[in-house]
């Protein structure tokens, strides 16, 4: 069975990484069950393995952590649900692409619980929503904003790091980076979309939809 843990308050980033690495090692050794860990962090930026320094536009604004997860710069902060996913791909199939696709579909299914249509875009990491109420792009296409980010790492085929979904973070905090290296599009949240959703609501939806996409 997968153990679900919900952290209280704000979790220090270095402490979170230490927990994930230790838990992933224990899972690989068969000494601990798989784990989904739900946290919030204080305001900070993380640099994934593909991060470009020019995308950190305000380096002195918040603490910046070098992360071993895939991807570029991301923001974490209060009002954003970070879902750390420690799952054993030795048991679930050693297919990284399929695993990432399952994570994307999990986010999309979770958003659908609130009647939000999340979508994947080729060449753009994360989950996106169309914003027809906003002015169109210069080329006439619809505006699209990012609502969730995905970045994982594997060790001995056990995953850690995971996904983040914007519930009600301060969206202005994203302006200190180029999120995931994408300059042409913005970011949004469930509350920014006009939905009265709180963190407990999202947590229930995450747990409800998890079983549809991941064998437990």
């Amino acid at each position: 069975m997968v153990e679900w843990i919900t952290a209280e308050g704000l979790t220090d980033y270095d402490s979170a990484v230490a927990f994930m690495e230790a838990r992933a090692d224990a899972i690989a050794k068969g000494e601990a069950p798989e784990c989904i860990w739900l946290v919030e962090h204080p305001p900070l930026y993380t640099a994934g393995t593909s991060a470009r320094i020019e995308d950190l536009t305000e380096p002195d604004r918040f603490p910046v952590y070098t992360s071993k997860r895939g991807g570029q710069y991301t923001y974490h902060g209060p009002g954003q649900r970070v879902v750390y996913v420690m799952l054993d791909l030795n048991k679930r199939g050693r297919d990284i692409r399929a695993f990432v696709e399952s994570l994307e579909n999990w986010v999309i299914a979770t958003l659908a619980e609130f009647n939000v249509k999340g979508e994947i875009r080729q060449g753009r990491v994360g989950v996106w929503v169309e914003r027809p109420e906003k002015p169109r792009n210069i080329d006439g296409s619809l505006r699209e904003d990012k609502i969730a980010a995905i970045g994982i790492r594997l060790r001995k085929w056990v995953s850690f790091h995971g996904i983040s979904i914007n519930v009600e973070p301060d969206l202005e905090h994203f302006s200190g980076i180029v999120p995931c290296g994408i300059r042409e599009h913005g970011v949004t949240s469930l509350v920014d979309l006009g939905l009265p959703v709180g963190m407990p609501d999202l947590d229930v939806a995450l747990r409800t939809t998890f079983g549809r996409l991941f064998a437990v």
Side-chain angles (χ1 to χ4, degrees):
M1 295 295 292
V2 177
E3 180 182 10
W4 287 70
I5 304 172
T6 303
E8 298 295 330
L10 301 178
T11 301
D12 172 74
Y13 187 76
D14 282 335
S15 298
V17 173
F19 175 89
M20 285 190 288
E21 291 183 342
R23 185 59 175 257
D25 286 341
I27 292 169
K29 294 175 182 176
E31 298 173 353
E34 296 174 303
C35 180
I36 304 294
W37 190 26
L38 307 176
V39 310
E40 286 180 85
H41 288 303
L44 58 92
Y45 298 130
T46 67
T49 55
S50 302
R52 300 172 299 190
I53 190 62
E54 62 268 24
D55 289 340
L56 179 63
T57 57
E58 295 184 42
D60 300 322
R61 186 171 188 183
F62 297 127
V64 181
Y65 295 86
T66 300
S67 173
K68 296 177 182 177
R69 61 158 176 80
Q72 302 186 40
Y73 280 104
T74 60
Y75 166 77
H76 295 314
Q80 180 192 74
R81 175 53 87 207
V82 178
V83 186
Y84 287 132
V85 180
M86 288 152 275
L87 297 176
D88 188 354
L89 272 65
N90 291 293
K91 299 176 181 178
R92 296 174 178 272
R94 294 185 177 186
D95 188 329
I96 298 174
R97 184 182 297 274
F99 180 62
V100 171
E101 184 175 315
S102 294
L103 293 176
E104 293 171 339
N105 289 334
W106 184 23
V107 173
I108 290 170
T110 299
L111 295 174
E113 293 288 297
F114 307 102
N115 294 315
V116 173
K117 185 180 181 183
E119 298 181 277
I120 304 302
R121 292 290 181 260
Q122 188 68 32
R124 281 195 254 143
V125 179
V127 178
W128 301 79
V129 294
E130 293 184 343
R131 305 300 302 273
E133 75 281 11
K134 289 188 173 184
R136 289 181 173 250
N137 296 316
I138 295 175
D139 62 3
S141 60
L142 284 176
R143 278 280 302 277
E144 295 180 339
D145 288 342
K146 189 173 190 175
I147 195 167
I150 298 173
I152 63 164
R153 182 173 173 80
L154 297 178
R155 179 178 293 172
K156 298 179 181 178
W157 288 100
V158 176
S159 68
F160 55 109
H161 294 285
I163 64 180
S164 59
I165 302 175
N166 297 331
V167 179
E168 192 180 9
D170 186 336
L171 296 178
E172 201 277 328
H173 286 178
F174 285 86
S175 66
I177 58 172
V178 178
C180 298
I182 299 169
R183 299 178 181 273
E184 299 80 12
H185 302 278
V187 291
T188 189
S189 69
L190 289 167
V191 171
D192 182 53
L193 293 172
L195 299 168
V197 177
M199 201 67 72
D201 303 313
L202 181 70
D203 292 348
V204 169
L206 282 165
R207 194 154 187 166
T208 298
T209 54
F210 180 83
R212 300 177 196 165
L213 295 157
F214 298 90
V216 294

